[in-house]
Amino acid sequence: MELSRRTFSALAGTTALGLALGGSGTGATSAYATHTVPTGPAPGAPSADGREHTVGFDRYSLLVDEKRLVLWSGEMHPFRLPSPSLWRDVLQKMRAHGYNAVSAYVAWNYHSPAPGAYDFTGVRDLDLFLRTAAETGLYVVLRPGPYINAEVDGGGFPGWLTATRGRARTADPAYLKHVDQWLTAVNTIAARHLFTSGKGTVLLYQIENEYDVTRAAGRDYMAHLYRKVRADGIDVPLFHNDAGPNGNWVPGSFDTGGEQGGWLYGFDGYPAPDRTPPDWGDFGAGGAKGGATASPKTPGFLTEFGGGSFDAWGGAGLQGKGYAEARRTRDAAYERRSHFTNLANGITLHNVYMTFGGTSWGWLPAPVVYTSYDYGAAFDEGRNQTPKLAPMHQLGHLLQRVPDFAKLDRAARVKATDERLKVYHLVNPDTDAHVYVVRNDSEEPVSSPLPDAGIEVPVTVPARDARLLTTGLSFGERTFRYATVEPMMFLRAGRQDVAVFTGRHGEMAQIVLECPEEPTPARLDAEVAWVYDRGLLRITVPLGVGGLSRILVDGGGSDRQLLILLADDATALRLWPYDTPSGSVLVYGPSLVREVALEDSTVHLTGDTTGPTGVEVWGPRGIDQVTWNTRVLGTRVSASSSLLSLQLLPGAGPVTLPSLDGGWRRQTENPESAPDFDDSRWKAADKRTSYSTTPVPEGQPVLFADDYGFHYGDVWYRGRFSADVTDVESVSLAYSTGTQGLLMAWLDGEPLGTHRMPVPDKSTVERGSWAAKATLAVPERLREELREKAADGRGARDSHVLSVLVRRMQHDQDGKALDTHKAARGLTAVTFKGASPEVSWRLQGEAAADPVRGPLNNGGLYGEREGWHLPGFGDSDWETVELPRSDRRQGVTWYRTTFRLAVDAGIDASVGLILVDGPERAYRAQIFLNGWNLGQYINDVGPQHTFVLPNGILRTRGVNTLALAVLSDGTTQSGPGQVRLTLLGHAAGGVPVTPVASPGR
């Protein structure tokens, strides 16, 4: 009986696994360049097809079933989109726009509420995400850590890990015990979805992240992770994400148990938009810190390339302008200039971080970011396509459909006539196609011929932009001498070849096609012009003037008809290629095509429209009918052999959102501040030692919230003491929080005041832990009252209660492997001026983790512990109020309302919540929709005012409960002010959305 690949690996051990990973099937000893794989068509879209596959690589590219694959991956995090139905929406959009893979972190803290407890259900259903990716036709790059960074709480470490023995991110056995449990849990799922087994599309797997401890202890740690992952049955190539082109963790840098050929070197990079794109490869300085050159036998792998940027509280990172500024400065031109440069430098594994950023809802965000993780990405937080998709869309389809780009060598130097243009020259050694990246780093457009490349006509490159040009590139049976615009794709539709070129709007495109015999061109659009001379057909057309421009070429030395399509960026974003078992299909017109299926002579299209649009379809011979979202379209055959719809598809109809001006109810809380509040069930602060990196003050108990099992959100402290407080002038409260933490205190129910951590500036935006000492005076009025009590014989030495509320924010990340996630959160020490009483402390934070919404949803506010945020809570006895409010009080006030939406079926509407108030008002609000904590708003800090309400949690056809927990210091009017719904985007189409479970009381 022939042994299966998996059985062979299991019987023969890791050495056999190294052979299997070679991907050659010929006994190669590693995946390095032990044999030659010629340039040829890329593998088709992946699926869970039940067949075994090989995954290897050489110095040029990945090798999937002996075919070269250029990885064009986009990062999205399912944990940042808490509505599993919408995962399909984003993944389908990614695939339609040219991505062939999705990269996804798996956050340990998101799945583990307690040691040994792991939850992969509901919004945490990793199995469902991996199945959806396979059904969509995307490879998966899986990144489960155990440390991920990712601007999430603790870098992905669960809160409970902060209070455990063992140095994190080392080979400390106490730490590795927890790591192995996590990896067992996640790998049990991942192993069911490996592309090698045909059960899924997991193609690559990352261990650790941005780990720079390269001494022996670090090597032992990496070796342990490698062995553990392999032992769990993960047999695809593994890699690590180097924090920049540092040459850390190249093949051979740690013990892999004798296995060779299963490890890739990858690194990340986030070039500033005002700087020249760096050469991280063949055109750079080279060597260990040269990026791809650090590992010359493996393909260049950019595990993360900046598709935007994160932003910090106060907005210092983006000049207070929020993610709109990230998208403006890292626009299509930035992405084009950067990605073309990376391609020139030998990068064939690309991952754009982020492609969809999403939302760091609940207490998920790391201290360095606020709720939105929009990132300025190609798809915004509301799942809308943005114009910066253009280069990703074009380049993604090019790399999938034109195989020459998978195998390129550096070629002879080429110069433009105008030396302001930098030219990279590469050549495919198999096809002799030449590739030129022409980059303009100046502040004005530059036009210049490239005579060294045989391009005698001027090529115009806009300011701070780039072009990807080719000479001698063959599409099917025909060769293009050169073009002044970028190739985007080539496919065969029936008897016809289709070549697509793209450029900037309004420019004059020039294409030169080699024709040994005189061809018969047909102008299908008025703007196209051509001339044939001495074996060359020269075509010129202004781009975008009439949408898509077409020219049909018959003859010229080939029996196959060639259709040339020319598009500007906006038009190219409406071109949708799709491969079916019966042949390739190209669709033009709609704002999105999600799926294409051929059944007999009918092309079934599924997709979205935003405005009225026509539909044009090129496909295999014999098709004569088109449906759109199951509706049959009337069509006719065009001069270019396409099917043209006879009527426009309708756009998305209007969406009406209700006002939130009325129906609010209000209730104050923080009974914990009252001296007679019953705290007998709270945890006693009786520990004297801690695993925290924050020292325990001498003579004081451990007050750190994590040591008592409270890891997320707010925490309350109540300290009882007996002393003559008439002599107490002030109380000093030392505390430690994440960015924008605060503390407020009461003595015997009387407010002492509030202390806030400062708003970060450019020098401190990445600081994850903030420590301060709040010295709060005891009001003379309170001291006088106590003196009067003493004079009346009631005594000033009776028991007193100091109540303290700390908004801890989140745990620091551990980017330097220094256990910084273990820095204390909450109170650290308390002293008095004028007295030295012995204080007995109790504390209370979040209740048991919500079994549906998870551990990161809730903090320790009284209303959260009592379910005031949940739908169905009985608030009929609360005060009816109108907004805006003008309250002044220290503490917490809740506001609740309900609203009904009636979005038409078939409309995908993305809805947001806007909170706006005068900047002079100092307050913050936790936003709960149907019990889900969707973010934190800080009115006088910002910059975020709009919060996405994801469909599924949001009932677009039903009743929704909105609750705001407003925390104010009493120094200003505390709001809330304006609260309203806003339409972030909408389309006719979308995906079916299953309501996310939102249990109430």
Side-chain angles (χ1 to χ4, degrees), residues 664-985:
W664 288 95
R665 292 183 178 273
R666 169 184 179 272
Q667 176 74 342
T668 59
E669 56 139 284
N670 49 279
E672 301 94 335
S673 64
D676 58 353
F677 178 82
D678 181 7
D679 60 16
S680 60
R681 295 186 179 181
W682 288 20
K683 290 192 177 181
D686 53 8
K687 296 179 183 290
R688 294 292 169 176
T689 61
S690 172
Y691 295 120
S692 173
T693 55
T694 303
V696 179
E698 185 176 353
Q700 299 221 13
V702 174
L703 295 174
F704 315 153
D706 287 298
D707 285 68
Y708 298 95
F710 304 123
H711 306 302
Y712 305 111
D714 301 292
V715 61
W716 274 98
Y717 296 84
R718 283 172 57 86
R720 293 185 182 275
F721 62 94
S722 295
D724 187 349
V725 296
T726 60
D727 295 327
V728 177
E729 298 178 23
S730 62
V731 180
S732 292
L733 303 165
Y735 72 117
S736 177
T737 73
T739 308
Q740 281 303 288
L742 62 73
L743 168 154
M744 51 182 58
W746 294 258
L747 180 60
D748 292 342
E750 293 290 329
L752 296 184
T754 297
H755 184 277
R756 298 172 56 173
M757 296 297 182
V759 179
D761 57 24
K762 286 187 177 181
S763 66
T764 58
V765 289
E766 295 194 27
R767 181 190 297 177
S769 286
W770 298 70
K773 180 181 288 186
T775 299
L776 305 176
V778 177
E780 181 60 33
R781 175 181 56 79
L782 177 58
R783 297 165 66 189
E784 183 60 34
E785 289 178 0
L786 294 173
R787 291 191 189 99
E788 292 175 0
K789 289 181 180 180
D792 293 342
R794 289 174 286 166
R797 295 181 179 273
D798 294 338
S799 177
H800 303 286
V801 178
L802 177 63
S803 301
V804 182
L805 174 63
V806 180
R807 175 144 293 182
R808 306 146 12 105
M809 303 302 278
Q810 293 91 339
H811 303 92
D812 196 0
Q813 299 177 114
D814 190 21
K816 297 296 183 181
L818 297 174
D819 265 357
T820 46
H821 65 292
K822 291 185 176 180
R825 290 297 184 259
L827 284 181
T828 56
V830 181
T831 57
F832 297 80
K833 183 178 181 181
S836 300
E838 291 188 9
V839 184
S840 175
W841 289 99
R842 289 184 177 273
L843 69 162
Q844 176 67 54
E846 72 273 19
D850 186 314
V852 173
R853 300 173 179 92
L856 293 156
N857 194 72
N858 289 35
L861 295 180
Y862 180 85
E864 291 177 290
R865 304 196 308 269
E866 294 296 313
W868 292 7
H869 60 299
L870 297 174
F873 174 80
D875 59 10
S876 60
D877 60 343
W878 286 20
E879 176 189 5
T880 301
V881 296
E882 298 290 333
L883 301 184
R885 296 294 299 169
S886 57
D887 303 345
R888 287 178 182 266
R889 68 181 298 268
Q890 177 177 289
V892 184
T893 306
W894 284 75
Y895 298 83
R896 285 172 53 97
T897 191
T898 60
F899 62 90
R900 179 183 292 275
L901 293 180
V903 178
D904 290 344
I907 296 291
D908 178 11
S910 180
V911 179
L913 183 75
I914 295 179
L915 288 83
V916 179
D917 214 333
E920 71 283 355
R921 293 192 178 204
Y923 68 91
R924 56 186 67 192
Q926 287 296 117
I927 300 167
F928 294 91
L929 178 71
N930 296 327
W932 292 82
N933 181 350
L934 295 184
Q936 181 176 189
Y937 169 73
I938 306 182
N939 180 68
D940 57 334
V941 173
Q944 185 174 6
H945 290 269
T946 301
F947 295 79
V948 174
L949 309 178
N951 296 349
I953 290 177
L954 178 72
R955 309 306 194 222
T956 57
R957 296 178 65 80
V959 177
N960 298 273
T961 299
L962 177 64
L964 305 177
V966 176
L967 189 61
S968 54
D969 62 14
T971 62
T972 71
Q973 294 179 336
S974 63
Q978 300 179 46
V979 182
R980 66 178 186 272
L981 299 173
T982 186
L983 187 63
L984 302 172

Side-chain angles (χ1 to χ4, degrees), residues 6 130 186-194 197 199 232-234:
R6 182 175 299 279
L130 297 178
V186 71
N187 289 342
T188 298
I189 298 171
R192 297 199 296 263
H193 296 273
L194 297 175
S197 68
K199 296 179 180 178
D232 285 345
I234 307 302

Side-chain angles (χ1 to χ4, degrees), residues 552-612:
L552 198 60
V553 180
D554 275 308
S558 173
D559 293 333
R560 288 189 64 84
Q561 193 176 67
L562 174 67
L563 175 66
I564 301 175
L565 304 178
L566 297 107
D568 64 0
D569 288 344
T571 303
L573 283 169
R574 296 166 61 203
L575 283 167
W576 311 103
Y578 206 101
D579 293 325
T580 76
S582 301
S584 297
V585 175
L586 179 63
V587 183
Y588 170 59
S591 58
L592 179 68
V593 173
R594 297 179 180 272
E595 295 177 319
V596 177
L598 293 183
E599 184 178 1
D600 298 327
S601 62
T602 300
V603 182
H604 298 282
L605 305 177
T606 303
D608 299 359
T609 59
T610 53

Side-chain angles (χ1 to χ4, degrees), residues 258-382:
E259 177 184 305
Q260 296 183 0
W263 182 256
L264 288 160
Y265 172 66
F267 63 97
D268 64 22
Y270 294 83
D274 58 347
R275 296 186 180 179
T276 302
D279 289 318
W280 286 324
D282 295 339
F283 287 85
K289 293 187 178 296
T293 59
S295 181
K297 293 182 179 181
T298 63
F301 187 2
L302 255 174
T303 48
E304 296 179 15
F305 182 84
S309 175
F310 66 80
D311 198 16
W313 286 109
L318 294 171
Q319 295 77 52
K321 300 176 182 177
Y323 287 114
E325 181 69 3
R327 194 167 281 111
R328 184 190 71 81
T329 55
R330 295 160 178 84
D331 59 1
Y334 166 86
E335 301 291 352
R336 190 161 38 240
R337 197 162 59 125
S338 299
H339 291 304
F340 289 175
T341 299
N342 294 337
L343 186 67
N345 276 277
I347 310 296
T348 58
L349 282 74
H350 311 254
N351 182 46
V352 183
Y353 189 105
M354 298 293 297
T355 294
F356 169 76
T359 305
S360 298
W361 58 281
W363 294 104
L364 184 66
V368 295
V369 293
Y370 45 87
T371 298
S372 175
Y373 202 67
D374 175 276
Y375 218 80
F379 299 99
D380 68 21
E381 190 179 0

